[in-house]
Amino acid sequence: MRILVTDGMDKSAIATLKANGHEVVEQFYEPDALGQALRDFDAVVIRSATKIRKAQLEVAKDSRLKLIIRGGVGVDNIDVKDAEAMGITVRNTPNASSNAVAELAIGLMFSCARYISIAGHTMREGKWEKKTYGKGFELGGKTLGVIGYGRIGKRIGDIAQGIGMNVIAYQRHPKPEYECETMHFVSQEELMAKADIIALSTPALGEPIINANTIASMKDGVVIINTSRGANIDENALLEALNSGKVRAAGLDVWTEEPTKNEALSTHPAVSALPHIGASTSEAQKRIGSEIVSIIESF
């Protein structure tokens, strides 16, 4: 097969593909050139930066392209239905990055609870703001609400329970076997009202889950964590709630627009802001690469 890798891939996985006789081309294409480029490949491997929309698919239609692989969980940067209607298979790697994303979500909770991001920043400026940032809180004993209790969400919940948190979760199709003394499924409305910290772990659902109305139903001083998709939060509503104090802090790894231009939110002192690095661990990238190789060889 002739394989295009647009957003990078684990080097050992590329070496394996080449050793197996495939031709691998690593090159990023801008949207207006991507469709034509796809015509010359049997498969394309993308991550977050490349978006394969109907416009690119129409150009690549009836070519040698038969397989699109998203190295990661979500496939919202691919127009899946249009691809499949053209006979192009779309696959992803849902298992490989779950632990990496879950650990980052927990890390963002600690950062919000103990002012790690902003306090560390002031240290770089030569300041000693012990009084300002010495009023954090402990995660143990708090109620974590996880919206989306799939692979990543459950891993977040497992770690949270391990550090003494009580977990409530909303899932469209809950699995009763996941419940225990420190983990229960609830309605989304109950979760919003009861959680001290809310973590989003669900695909983009079209409308923001966190908006002015849902924020109003939350506890005062709630913390919001998003390692899912930027579209799940109305950034203007979140910024207003941070400024009013309704939301105490937010940990954000994903943004409505990436790279984000929302400096008011990304530089807010109550926000721990990251550039979409949830799956960016060496271990996760090796697992993703291995899963991609398996998909290609199976295909």
Side-chain angles (χ1 to χ4, degrees), residues 147-166:
I147 298 179
Y149 214 69
R151 293 178 182 88
I152 296 173
K154 183 180 183 302
R155 183 62 183 141
I156 293 172
D158 289 345
I159 299 172
Q161 290 171 77
I163 58 176
M165 302 186 78
N166 295 304

Side-chain angles (χ1 to χ4, degrees), residues 44-281:
V44 57
V45 179
I46 69 173
R47 290 182 63 189
S48 299
T50 297
K51 295 174 176 56
I52 301 180
R53 299 302 185 196
K54 186 176 182 179
Q56 288 81 35
L57 291 167
E58 288 288 353
V59 177
K61 188 178 180 180
D62 297 325
S63 68
R64 64 191 290 181
L65 182 67
K66 296 301 176 188
L67 176 63
I68 299 171
I69 303 174
R70 160 76 162 94
V73 180
V75 290
D76 46 301
N77 55 334
I78 304 168
D79 284 345
V80 177
K81 290 183 179 179
D82 293 300
E84 292 178 342
M86 298 177 191
I88 301 169
T89 299
V90 179
R91 297 287 301 275
N92 63 343
T93 60
N95 300 308
S97 59
S98 297
N99 191 67
V101 177
E103 286 190 3
L104 186 73
I106 296 293
L108 286 170
M109 292 179 208
F110 277 113
S111 182
C112 290
R114 302 302 302 272
Y115 304 104
I116 293 171
S117 179
I118 183 63
H121 179 76
T122 60
M123 289 289 288
R124 293 171 185 267
E125 296 177 337
K127 299 176 182 177
W128 188 263
E129 302 281 1
K130 182 173 181 176
K131 289 185 179 180
T132 303
Y133 301 117
K135 299 178 182 178
F137 66 91
E138 297 178 10
L139 297 182
K142 300 298 188 296
T143 297
L144 170 64
V146 183
I147 298 179
Y149 214 69
R151 293 178 182 88
I152 296 173
K154 183 180 183 302
R155 183 62 183 141
I156 293 172
D158 289 345
I159 299 172
Q161 290 171 77
I163 58 176
M165 302 186 78
N166 295 304
V167 177
I168 55 177
Y170 169 73
Q171 178 77 354
R172 288 183 177 182
H173 303 289
K175 296 183 177 181
E177 62 269 26
Y178 288 171
E179 291 194 303
C180 62
E181 186 178 348
T182 54
M183 188 275 145
H184 298 283
F185 287 107
V186 297
S187 68
Q188 185 167 301
E189 291 74 19
E190 184 177 350
L191 185 150
M192 294 286 186
K194 291 185 175 180
D196 300 302
I197 300 172
I198 295 174
L200 302 182
S201 184
T202 180
L205 302 177
E207 295 294 327
I209 299 168
I210 305 299
N211 55 49
N213 290 332
T214 56
I215 290 172
S217 70
M218 298 174 191
K219 286 184 174 182
D220 291 342
V222 67
V223 173
I224 295 173
I225 306 295
N226 191 13
T227 55
S228 61
R229 286 293 180 263
N232 285 329
I233 290 182
D234 179 334
E235 291 185 351
N236 291 330
L238 176 58
L239 181 61
E240 184 176 334
L242 286 163
N243 288 334
S244 71
K246 173 69 177 182
V247 173
R248 176 188 177 116
L252 306 176
D253 183 45
V254 289
W255 308 82
T256 302
E257 180 183 6
E258 296 184 358
T260 183
K261 295 185 176 71
N262 193 341
E263 291 188 6
L265 187 60
S266 64
T267 64
H268 195 285
V271 174
S272 291
L274 297 172
H276 201 157
I277 58 172
S280 298
T281 66

Side-chain angles (χ1 to χ4, degrees), residues 280-293:
S280 298
T281 66
S282 57
E283 295 89 346
Q285 291 311 303
K286 287 184 181 299
R287 290 192 296 266
I288 289 171
S290 178
E291 197 165 340
I292 289 170
V293 171

